[in-house]
Amino acid sequence: MTNPELAGTRVSEAHLSEETLRRDCRTVLVCCGPGCLANDSPAIAQALRSKIDEAGLDVEVRPLIKETGCQGLCEKGPMLRIVPDDIAYYKVALKDVEAIVEKTLRSGEVIPKLLHVSAKTGKPVLSLKENEFYTPQVKIVLRHVGEIDPHQIDDYIAHGGYGALEKTVKSMTPDVVIEEVHRSGLRGRGGAGFPTGRKWKQCAGYKNFPKYVVCNGDEGDPGAFMDRSIMEGDPHSVIEGMIIGAYAVGAAEGFIYIRDEYALAVETIRKAVEQARERGYLGRNILGSSYSFGLSIVRGGGAFVCGESTALMASIEGKVGEPRAKYIRSVEKGLWGQPTVLNNVETWANIPVILTQGGDQFRQIGTEKSTGTKVFSLVGKVKNTGLVEVPMGIRLRELIFDIGGGILGGRKFKAVQTGGPSGGCIPEELLDLPVDFDSLTEAGSMMGSGGMIVMDDRTCMVDVARYYVQFLADESCGKCVPCREGIRRMAEILEDICEGRGQESDLDLLLTIGETMAEAALCGLGKSAPNPVSTTIRYFREEYLAHIQERRCPAGVCRELTTFEIDGALCNGCGLCRRDCPPDAITGSTKQRHVIDQEKCIRCGNCVDSCKRNAVKVR
C-alpha cells in the first residue's frame, strides 16, 4: 500500500534528531519468534547483514542486526523494528531487504507498504506506540522479549538483567525476599492461581533438606505459545527468577521441565544456563556470596498430563508421568519426597521485576485480588493473532476487539475459550467480563496458562466441546476411574449428538458425569475436564437442542446434520463458491444464480466461507 501522506517521509523528520543516528545505538530488531521463524526470518536477518556490507553504509547510519524473540503481532510477521528510529515493518519478505537498506537505513525514507494500517483510521502508522495492538499492553514478563538477543547474556545484562539477583544475595535475607513477593500479590500463572509468596513461605518453613525449585515449561494446551515465547525470547529472566526463589526457600538445586516438542526452547535455555554458569550466576558461591545453586534441564515426557504438578515431578524422577492425590502438598513432600516449589515459566519471569521495583509497585497494576499482568496467546477467528501482555482486569471486549482487531471477515463474534482444553467457552453477553482469576472462574471458565481462542458464528459449540473432550480423553493418564471412564463416556455422547443420534436426556447425563468428575477425579486436569461441556450447555443450550430435536447444525459444521443451499435473491453469480468447491458440486454461469448438487456436496463449508454476499445458507 502506498499512502501519499507518508510517501517520501524521512525518518529524521518524523522521529529523530541528527545526534541520535549513532552506530552504537541504531539497531534493526528482526523477530525470530515461532511464527516469523516459520516464514524464514533468520534468512531476512542474514540478508540484511549481507546487503549492509555490500552497500557500505556510513558509520553514522550503519545498524546492528539483532535476532530477537517474538515481537507479538504474529499475524503480520515476519516483522522488524528499527530503533531508535521507532519504525516497525510488517510482512517483510526477502525481496524487501534492498529497499529497507537503501531507502530507510541509508536515506531515512519510510516504506509505506510495510507499515501497519490502523483499523481505526485506515492510515499507516510508523511506531508500535501508534499501533492499537500494542498501545493497551503493559510489558512486565515480556519486557525483554523482542528487545534482546536471547542467545547473548551480555544483552540481558545491558537491560538490567541479574541486577535483582545481585540485590537479593548481597543485601536481602530469604525472609525479606519472600515478604516482597507476598506483598506483590503475585499468583501462580500456570492456571491454579495460588499465591506465590504463600507457597514460598510454606516451603521455607520446612527444615527438611535438600529442597528443590522447579519450572513447569510443559506447555501443552492447544493454541498456547506463551511459555515457549518467554523461554525462547528471554531465557535469563526465568533463570534469574528461579535462582532468587531457590535462595528464598533454601533450595540448592532446580529443574526446568520443558515440553519435548519445544526443541528451540530447550536449546535456548540450555545455552542460557551455560552462560549463567560461566558468569558466576549459577554454581558455587554465586556473585561472591555463600549461596550455591545448580540448575538442570529435563525434557518432557511427551504427555499432556505431565503438565500437572505431581505428574511432572514423577516424570523428573524417572517414573511414569501420573498424578497423585494432593493430601500432602509439594511444598512439604515434592521431588523425591522433599520440600519443592513449582511455578510456571511466566511466574518465574515476574520475580526479577518484583525484587527490583518492589512488591508495592507491582500490585499497582491489575486488580486487588489479581495483581500484575497476564500473558495470552490470542488466536482463532480474530484479525490480530499473536502474543499479548495486558493488566489483569482488562475486559474481554478490549482484548478481542481493540487489541485483536475484531473478528475475521467481519463475521459475528460467538464465543471465546479461555484456560486451555479444561477451560470454558464464554459467550457474547459476557464480553465485558474482566479478565482475572475470580471472574473467569465464576463464569465457568478459568485463567489457565493463558490460551485464548476466539470463535465466530461459523463455529459449532457442540463440535468444540466434542473436540476438547476427545483431546482430553486421548491425553488422560487413565489412573483414576472418574476421569478415565467419565471423559470417554462424555466423548461418546457428544459424538452421538453431532451425528444426529442425540437425545434430550443426554444433556442431563453430560452434566451429571461432569459433576461426578469435578468431585471425584484425582487431579486438577480431571476435575476441570468437564468445563468445555458444562459452559457450552450453560450458554449455548439452544444449539444442542437444534442438533437433538431438529437434527440440524446451525453453524453448518457437523456434516451429518448440515445441508447448504444458495439463496437466489442474494447470489450474483460471481463464481467464488464454484471455484472453491472441492467436489465441483456447484454449477452456474457467471452473473447467474448458482446451485448446489446435494448428491456431490461433501458439506465442507468452503462455499460459506468464500461467499462475500452471505448467499450460502444452512438449510
Side-chain angles (χ1 to χ4, degrees):
M1 166 184 178
T2 300
N3 188 303
E5 296 181 25
L6 290 172
T9 299
R10 298 181 65 82
V11 175
S12 57
E13 296 169 352
H15 291 278
L16 295 178
S17 62
E18 291 295 325
E19 62 183 12
T20 61
L21 288 172
R22 303 192 314 271
R23 168 69 181 90
D24 62 345
C25 69
R26 201 179 194 203
T27 307
V28 179
L29 305 172
V30 181
C31 178
C32 290
C36 293
L37 196 66
N39 285 288
D40 214 12
S41 58
I44 293 173
Q46 186 55 46
L48 281 167
R49 294 188 184 98
S50 299
K51 194 64 184 177
I52 288 169
D53 288 341
E54 292 175 12
L57 296 184
D58 294 339
V59 67
E60 290 83 5
V61 297
R62 185 183 178 90
L64 170 69
I65 307 300
K66 187 186 295 185
E67 297 177 35
T68 74
C70 179
Q71 295 183 18
L73 190 46
C74 304
E75 178 66 26
K76 300 291 180 65
M79 66 175 290
L80 61 81
R81 293 165 50 218
I82 305 171
V83 293
D85 309 43
D86 204 14
I87 297 292
Y89 285 156
Y90 306 84
K91 294 194 173 181
V92 178
L94 281 170
K95 59 183 174 56
D96 300 315
V97 168
E98 183 173 358
I100 292 171
V101 172
E102 293 298 331
K103 290 186 176 181
T104 304
L105 297 179
R106 184 192 292 278
S107 304
E109 185 179 336
V110 173
I111 305 173
K113 72 170 187 175
L114 297 179
L115 298 175
H116 173 76
V117 177
S118 169
K120 294 181 179 179
T121 67
K123 297 179 180 180
V125 297
L126 296 174
S127 167
L128 297 190
K129 299 171 186 174
E130 304 169 276
N131 187 331
E132 59 272 10
F133 178 83
Y134 293 99
T135 49
Q137 295 192 46
V138 176
K139 299 292 184 73
I140 295 178
V141 172
L142 302 180
R143 60 196 179 277
H144 298 145
V145 180
E147 300 285 341
I148 67 172
D149 182 341
H151 300 289
Q152 299 294 332
I153 189 172
D154 287 330
D155 207 357
Y156 179 70
I157 294 171
H159 284 75
Y162 289 110
L165 175 61
E166 184 171 2
K167 174 184 176 182
T168 298
V169 298
K170 291 186 176 181
S171 63
M172 301 177 74
T173 66
D175 288 343
V176 172
V177 173
I178 293 173
E179 178 56 33
E180 201 67 57
V181 174
H182 179 72
R183 187 182 296 116
S184 74
L186 176 67
R187 296 171 65 173
R189 299 306 199 241
F194 192 82
T196 304
R198 190 192 306 174
K199 179 187 289 188
W200 289 17
K201 187 174 183 179
Q202 289 173 349
C203 184
Y206 293 106
K207 301 307 178 184
N208 302 335
F209 295 93
K211 297 180 181 180
Y212 302 100
V213 294
V214 179
C215 175
N216 184 350
D218 193 61
E219 183 177 58
D221 295 356
F225 50 89
M226 304 79 57
D227 288 351
R228 76 174 292 179
S229 296
I230 298 167
M231 290 187 288
E232 294 172 1
D234 188 16
H236 288 283
S237 68
V238 181
I239 295 170
E240 184 177 9
M242 292 187 70
I243 303 170
I244 293 170
Y247 171 83
V249 303
E253 188 173 4
F255 299 89
I256 304 179
Y257 188 91
I258 306 175
R259 184 182 178 187
D260 190 54
E261 293 86 348
Y262 284 177
L264 181 58
V266 172
E267 177 190 343
T268 305
I269 288 285
R270 180 175 288 125
K271 185 171 184 178
V273 169
E274 292 172 358
Q275 291 176 339
R277 190 178 293 120
E278 291 170 359
R279 295 297 184 90
Y281 298 116
L282 283 171
R284 298 189 61 80
N285 305 118
I286 293 173
L287 295 175
S289 71
S290 61
Y291 179 63
S292 302
F293 178 70
L295 191 58
S296 303
I297 298 168
V298 179
R299 300 193 70 156
F304 178 73
V305 74
C306 285
E308 194 275 339
S309 60
T310 58
L312 183 151
M313 292 183 197
S315 180
I316 291 177
E317 292 172 356
K319 302 173 185 175
V320 174
E322 291 181 342
R324 61 164 174 79
K326 292 185 178 179
Y327 49 85
I328 299 178
R329 294 290 176 177
S330 300
V331 291
E332 181 181 357
K333 290 187 177 181
L335 266 177
W336 293 291
Q338 295 299 119
T340 303
V341 165
L342 184 147
N343 288 119
N344 85 323
V345 171
E346 184 179 345
T347 309
W348 288 120
N350 272 295
I351 299 302
V353 176
I354 292 172
L355 269 295
T356 300
Q357 300 180 359
D360 289 333
Q361 183 167 334
F362 183 87
R363 71 178 306 116
Q364 297 302 312
I365 302 170
T367 68
E368 181 180 358
K369 294 183 178 180
S370 298
T371 61
T373 60
K374 183 72 189 77
V375 180
F376 291 98
S377 56
L378 186 62
V379 297
K381 302 294 185 178
V382 65
K383 292 178 181 177
N384 296 331
T385 57
L387 188 72
V388 303
E389 183 176 4
V390 292
M392 288 281 198
I394 190 174
R395 306 285 169 172
L396 281 169
R397 187 183 303 277
E398 186 176 357
L399 251 175
I400 296 167
F401 287 91
D402 292 347
I403 296 175
I407 308 304
L408 279 173
R411 301 199 71 93
K412 183 177 173 59
F413 170 85
K414 188 169 189 177
V416 58
Q417 201 264 357
T418 67
S422 299
C425 298
I426 300 172
E428 184 178 18
E429 57 263 31
L430 295 181
L431 271 175
D432 290 315
L433 188 75
V435 180
D436 59 58
F437 289 103
D438 300 327
S439 298
L440 290 176
T441 301
E442 289 172 9
S445 188
M446 60 193 297
M447 180 75 73
S449 58
M452 187 170 287
I453 302 176
V454 180
M455 307 171 196
D456 64 11
D457 58 357
R458 279 279 288 135
T459 304
C460 172
M461 303 313 296
V462 186
D463 182 66
V464 166
R466 173 176 64 168
Y467 167 79
Y468 283 117
V469 167
Q470 188 58 60
F471 173 87
L472 292 167
D474 293 340
E475 295 292 342
S476 172
C477 73
K479 184 174 182 178
C480 73
V481 172
C483 179
R484 183 183 69 238
E485 300 301 326
I487 200 72
R488 185 187 305 168
R489 182 66 186 118
M490 292 179 90
E492 292 170 353
I493 295 170
L494 290 166
E495 190 76 20
D496 285 344
I497 294 174
C498 288
E499 294 182 358
R501 299 186 298 273
Q503 304 174 35
E504 284 191 52
S505 59
D506 287 342
L507 301 186
D508 290 334
L509 181 56
L510 284 168
L511 293 174
T512 299
I513 294 173
E515 290 167 1
T516 303
M517 291 178 60
E519 182 68 27
L522 179 62
C523 75
L525 295 180
K527 292 178 182 295
S528 59
N531 283 347
V533 178
S534 59
T535 54
T536 50
I537 292 177
R538 176 180 174 181
Y539 297 120
F540 301 95
R541 177 177 284 265
E542 72 285 352
E543 200 160 334
Y544 278 86
L545 294 177
H547 282 68
I548 295 168
Q549 296 174 346
E550 305 172 30
R551 298 294 188 261
R552 179 177 66 89
C553 176
V557 173
C558 302
R559 297 191 180 193
E560 290 82 355
L561 305 181
T562 296
T563 301
F564 295 115
E565 59 186 7
I566 298 175
D567 187 335
L570 296 175
C571 178
N572 65 353
C574 68
L576 289 176
C577 61
R578 185 179 73 243
R579 182 198 65 187
D580 293 341
C581 180
D584 295 324
I586 300 176
T587 57
S589 303
T590 303
K591 297 186 179 180
Q592 300 295 318
R593 176 187 176 182
H594 285 38
V595 178
I596 299 175
D597 183 339
Q598 299 299 336
E599 294 296 321
K600 291 184 177 180
C601 180
I602 60 174
R603 280 77 173 166
C604 66
N606 282 6
C607 52
V608 179
D609 296 331
S610 61
C611 182
K612 306 299 183 185
R613 298 175 61 84
N614 198 29
V616 184
K617 308 290 186 181
V618 178
R619 184 185 297 173

Short mmCIF file of all heavy atoms in Angstrom, two decimals, residues 381-412:
data_model
loop_
_atom_site.label_atom_id
_atom_site.label_comp_id
_atom_site.label_asym_id
_atom_site.label_seq_id
_atom_site.Cartn_x
_atom_site.Cartn_y
_atom_site.Cartn_z
N LYS A 381 -10.40 -16.94 15.36
CA LYS A 381 -11.06 -16.12 14.34
C LYS A 381 -10.96 -14.64 14.67
O LYS A 381 -11.96 -13.91 14.72
CB LYS A 381 -12.52 -16.53 14.21
CG LYS A 381 -12.73 -17.99 13.85
CD LYS A 381 -12.19 -18.31 12.46
CE LYS A 381 -12.51 -19.75 12.07
NZ LYS A 381 -12.05 -20.08 10.71
N VAL A 382 -9.74 -14.19 14.91
CA VAL A 382 -9.50 -12.80 15.25
C VAL A 382 -8.46 -12.25 14.28
O VAL A 382 -7.58 -12.97 13.82
CB VAL A 382 -9.04 -12.69 16.73
CG1 VAL A 382 -7.70 -13.36 16.92
CG2 VAL A 382 -9.03 -11.27 17.21
N LYS A 383 -8.56 -10.97 13.96
CA LYS A 383 -7.70 -10.39 12.93
C LYS A 383 -6.24 -10.35 13.35
O LYS A 383 -5.35 -10.67 12.56
CB LYS A 383 -8.19 -8.98 12.58
CG LYS A 383 -9.53 -8.95 11.87
CD LYS A 383 -9.98 -7.52 11.60
CE LYS A 383 -11.34 -7.50 10.92
NZ LYS A 383 -11.82 -6.10 10.71
N ASN A 384 -5.97 -9.91 14.58
CA ASN A 384 -4.60 -9.75 15.03
C ASN A 384 -4.22 -10.88 15.98
O ASN A 384 -4.30 -10.73 17.20
CB ASN A 384 -4.41 -8.40 15.74
CG ASN A 384 -4.64 -7.22 14.82
OD1 ASN A 384 -4.43 -7.30 13.61
ND2 ASN A 384 -5.09 -6.12 15.39
N THR A 385 -3.82 -12.01 15.43
CA THR A 385 -3.37 -13.09 16.31
C THR A 385 -1.95 -12.80 16.78
O THR A 385 -1.15 -12.20 16.06
CB THR A 385 -3.39 -14.44 15.57
OG1 THR A 385 -2.56 -14.34 14.40
CG2 THR A 385 -4.79 -14.82 15.15
N GLY A 386 -1.66 -13.24 18.00
CA GLY A 386 -0.31 -13.01 18.49
C GLY A 386 -0.18 -13.15 19.98
O GLY A 386 -1.06 -13.67 20.67
N LEU A 387 0.95 -12.66 20.47
CA LEU A 387 1.32 -12.75 21.88
C LEU A 387 1.09 -11.39 22.52
O LEU A 387 1.62 -10.37 22.06
CB LEU A 387 2.80 -13.13 21.98
CG LEU A 387 3.37 -13.45 23.36
CD1 LEU A 387 2.84 -14.79 23.86
CD2 LEU A 387 4.90 -13.47 23.30
N VAL A 388 0.28 -11.35 23.59
CA VAL A 388 -0.05 -10.08 24.22
C VAL A 388 0.16 -10.18 25.73
O VAL A 388 0.05 -11.26 26.32
CB VAL A 388 -1.51 -9.65 23.94
CG1 VAL A 388 -1.76 -9.57 22.44
CG2 VAL A 388 -2.51 -10.61 24.57
N GLU A 389 0.47 -9.05 26.35
CA GLU A 389 0.56 -8.96 27.81
C GLU A 389 -0.25 -7.76 28.26
O GLU A 389 0.03 -6.62 27.85
CB GLU A 389 2.00 -8.84 28.28
CG GLU A 389 2.12 -8.84 29.80
CD GLU A 389 3.56 -8.82 30.30
OE1 GLU A 389 4.48 -8.75 29.47
OE2 GLU A 389 3.76 -8.88 31.53
N VAL A 390 -1.25 -8.01 29.09
CA VAL A 390 -2.19 -6.95 29.48
C VAL A 390 -2.37 -6.96 30.99
O VAL A 390 -2.14 -7.97 31.66
CB VAL A 390 -3.56 -7.16 28.80
CG1 VAL A 390 -3.45 -6.94 27.30
CG2 VAL A 390 -4.11 -8.56 29.10
N PRO A 391 -2.80 -5.82 31.56
CA PRO A 391 -3.07 -5.79 33.01
C PRO A 391 -4.22 -6.71 33.36
O PRO A 391 -5.21 -6.81 32.62
CB PRO A 391 -3.43 -4.32 33.26
CG PRO A 391 -2.93 -3.57 32.07
CD PRO A 391 -2.99 -4.52 30.92
N MET A 392 -4.12 -7.38 34.47
CA MET A 392 -5.25 -8.15 34.99
C MET A 392 -6.46 -7.22 35.15
O MET A 392 -6.31 -6.08 35.60
CB MET A 392 -4.90 -8.77 36.34
CG MET A 392 -3.92 -9.91 36.25
SD MET A 392 -4.72 -11.45 35.75
CE MET A 392 -3.47 -12.62 36.29
N GLY A 393 -7.63 -7.74 34.81
CA GLY A 393 -8.84 -6.94 34.93
C GLY A 393 -9.28 -6.29 33.63
O GLY A 393 -10.37 -5.71 33.56
N ILE A 394 -8.46 -6.39 32.58
CA ILE A 394 -8.88 -5.88 31.28
C ILE A 394 -10.13 -6.61 30.83
O ILE A 394 -10.36 -7.78 31.18
CB ILE A 394 -7.75 -6.05 30.25
CG1 ILE A 394 -8.06 -5.29 28.96
CG2 ILE A 394 -7.49 -7.53 29.96
CD1 ILE A 394 -6.92 -5.30 27.96
N ARG A 395 -11.00 -5.95 30.07
CA ARG A 395 -12.24 -6.59 29.62
C ARG A 395 -11.97 -7.46 28.39
O ARG A 395 -11.11 -7.14 27.56
CB ARG A 395 -13.28 -5.52 29.25
CG ARG A 395 -13.55 -4.52 30.36
CD ARG A 395 -14.39 -5.09 31.47
NE ARG A 395 -14.42 -4.21 32.64
CZ ARG A 395 -15.22 -4.40 33.69
NH1 ARG A 395 -16.03 -5.44 33.74
NH2 ARG A 395 -15.18 -3.56 34.71
N LEU A 396 -12.72 -8.54 28.29
CA LEU A 396 -12.58 -9.41 27.12
C LEU A 396 -12.82 -8.63 25.84
O LEU A 396 -12.15 -8.86 24.83
CB LEU A 396 -13.59 -10.56 27.21
CG LEU A 396 -13.22 -11.72 28.13
CD1 LEU A 396 -14.43 -12.64 28.32
CD2 LEU A 396 -12.03 -12.50 27.59
N ARG A 397 -13.75 -7.70 25.87
CA ARG A 397 -14.07 -6.91 24.66
C ARG A 397 -12.84 -6.14 24.18
O ARG A 397 -12.56 -6.07 22.98
CB ARG A 397 -15.22 -5.95 24.95
CG ARG A 397 -15.73 -5.20 23.72
CD ARG A 397 -16.82 -4.20 24.09
NE ARG A 397 -17.94 -4.84 24.76
CZ ARG A 397 -18.94 -5.47 24.13
NH1 ARG A 397 -18.94 -5.53 22.81
NH2 ARG A 397 -19.93 -6.01 24.81
N GLU A 398 -12.11 -5.55 25.11
CA GLU A 398 -10.93 -4.78 24.73
C GLU A 398 -9.85 -5.70 24.16
O GLU A 398 -9.17 -5.36 23.19
CB GLU A 398 -10.40 -4.01 25.93
CG GLU A 398 -9.25 -3.06 25.59
CD GLU A 398 -8.78 -2.23 26.76
OE1 GLU A 398 -9.39 -2.34 27.85
OE2 GLU A 398 -7.81 -1.48 26.59
N LEU A 399 -9.69 -6.87 24.77
CA LEU A 399 -8.70 -7.82 24.28
C LEU A 399 -9.01 -8.26 22.86
O LEU A 399 -8.13 -8.32 22.00
CB LEU A 399 -8.67 -9.04 25.20
CG LEU A 399 -7.46 -9.25 26.10
CD1 LEU A 399 -7.67 -10.44 27.02
CD2 LEU A 399 -6.20 -9.42 25.30
N ILE A 400 -10.27 -8.58 22.59
CA ILE A 400 -10.64 -9.18 21.31
C ILE A 400 -10.85 -8.14 20.22
O ILE A 400 -10.42 -8.33 19.08
CB ILE A 400 -11.91 -10.05 21.49
CG1 ILE A 400 -11.61 -11.21 22.43
CG2 ILE A 400 -12.43 -10.56 20.15
CD1 ILE A 400 -12.84 -11.94 22.94
N PHE A 401 -11.48 -7.02 20.56
CA PHE A 401 -11.85 -6.07 19.52
C PHE A 401 -10.89 -4.89 19.39
O PHE A 401 -10.76 -4.33 18.30
CB PHE A 401 -13.28 -5.56 19.77
CG PHE A 401 -14.33 -6.59 19.46
CD1 PHE A 401 -14.78 -7.45 20.44
CD2 PHE A 401 -14.82 -6.74 18.17
CE1 PHE A 401 -15.73 -8.42 20.16
CE2 PHE A 401 -15.76 -7.71 17.87
CZ PHE A 401 -16.22 -8.55 18.87
N ASP A 402 -10.23 -4.48 20.46
CA ASP A 402 -9.26 -3.39 20.35
C ASP A 402 -7.87 -3.93 20.01
O ASP A 402 -7.30 -3.59 18.98
CB ASP A 402 -9.21 -2.59 21.65
CG ASP A 402 -10.51 -1.82 21.90
OD1 ASP A 402 -11.32 -1.72 20.96
OD2 ASP A 402 -10.72 -1.36 23.03
N ILE A 403 -7.36 -4.80 20.88
CA ILE A 403 -6.05 -5.39 20.61
C ILE A 403 -6.13 -6.38 19.46
O ILE A 403 -5.31 -6.36 18.53
CB ILE A 403 -5.51 -6.09 21.88
CG1 ILE A 403 -5.28 -5.05 22.97
CG2 ILE A 403 -4.22 -6.84 21.56
CD1 ILE A 403 -4.86 -5.66 24.31
N GLY A 404 -7.13 -7.25 19.49
CA GLY A 404 -7.27 -8.28 18.45
C GLY A 404 -7.82 -7.78 17.14
O GLY A 404 -7.76 -8.50 16.13
N GLY A 405 -8.38 -6.58 17.11
CA GLY A 405 -8.86 -6.02 15.86
C GLY A 405 -10.22 -6.52 15.40
O GLY A 405 -10.68 -6.19 14.31
N GLY A 406 -10.89 -7.34 16.22
CA GLY A 406 -12.21 -7.84 15.84
C GLY A 406 -12.15 -9.17 15.11
O GLY A 406 -11.10 -9.81 15.01
N ILE A 407 -13.30 -9.57 14.58
CA ILE A 407 -13.44 -10.90 14.01
C ILE A 407 -13.08 -10.89 12.52
O ILE A 407 -13.43 -9.97 11.78
CB ILE A 407 -14.89 -11.41 14.20
CG1 ILE A 407 -15.29 -11.29 15.68
CG2 ILE A 407 -15.02 -12.85 13.74
CD1 ILE A 407 -14.37 -11.99 16.64
N LEU A 408 -12.41 -11.94 12.11
CA LEU A 408 -12.01 -12.10 10.71
C LEU A 408 -13.21 -12.05 9.77
O LEU A 408 -14.27 -12.62 10.07
CB LEU A 408 -11.29 -13.43 10.51
CG LEU A 408 -9.81 -13.51 10.90
CD1 LEU A 408 -9.33 -14.95 10.80
CD2 LEU A 408 -8.98 -12.61 10.00
N GLY A 409 -13.04 -11.39 8.64
CA GLY A 409 -14.07 -11.37 7.61
C GLY A 409 -15.32 -10.62 8.00
O GLY A 409 -16.35 -10.73 7.31
N GLY A 410 -15.27 -9.87 9.11
CA GLY A 410 -16.45 -9.12 9.54
C GLY A 410 -17.57 -10.00 10.06
O GLY A 410 -18.71 -9.53 10.18
N ARG A 411 -17.28 -11.25 10.37
CA ARG A 411 -18.32 -12.14 10.86
C ARG A 411 -18.67 -11.80 12.31
O ARG A 411 -18.01 -10.99 12.97
CB ARG A 411 -17.88 -13.60 10.76
CG ARG A 411 -17.55 -14.05 9.33
CD ARG A 411 -17.57 -15.56 9.21
NE ARG A 411 -18.94 -16.07 9.28
CZ ARG A 411 -19.70 -16.29 8.21
NH1 ARG A 411 -19.24 -16.05 7.00
NH2 ARG A 411 -20.92 -16.75 8.36
N LYS A 412 -19.70 -12.44 12.83
CA LYS A 412 -20.20 -12.15 14.17
C LYS A 412 -19.43 -12.96 15.21
O LYS A 412 -19.17 -14.13 15.03
CB LYS A 412 -21.69 -12.50 14.23
CG LYS A 412 -22.37 -12.19 15.56
CD LYS A 412 -23.85 -12.52 15.48
CE LYS A 412 -24.52 -12.38 16.84
NZ LYS A 412 -24.39 -11.02 17.40
#
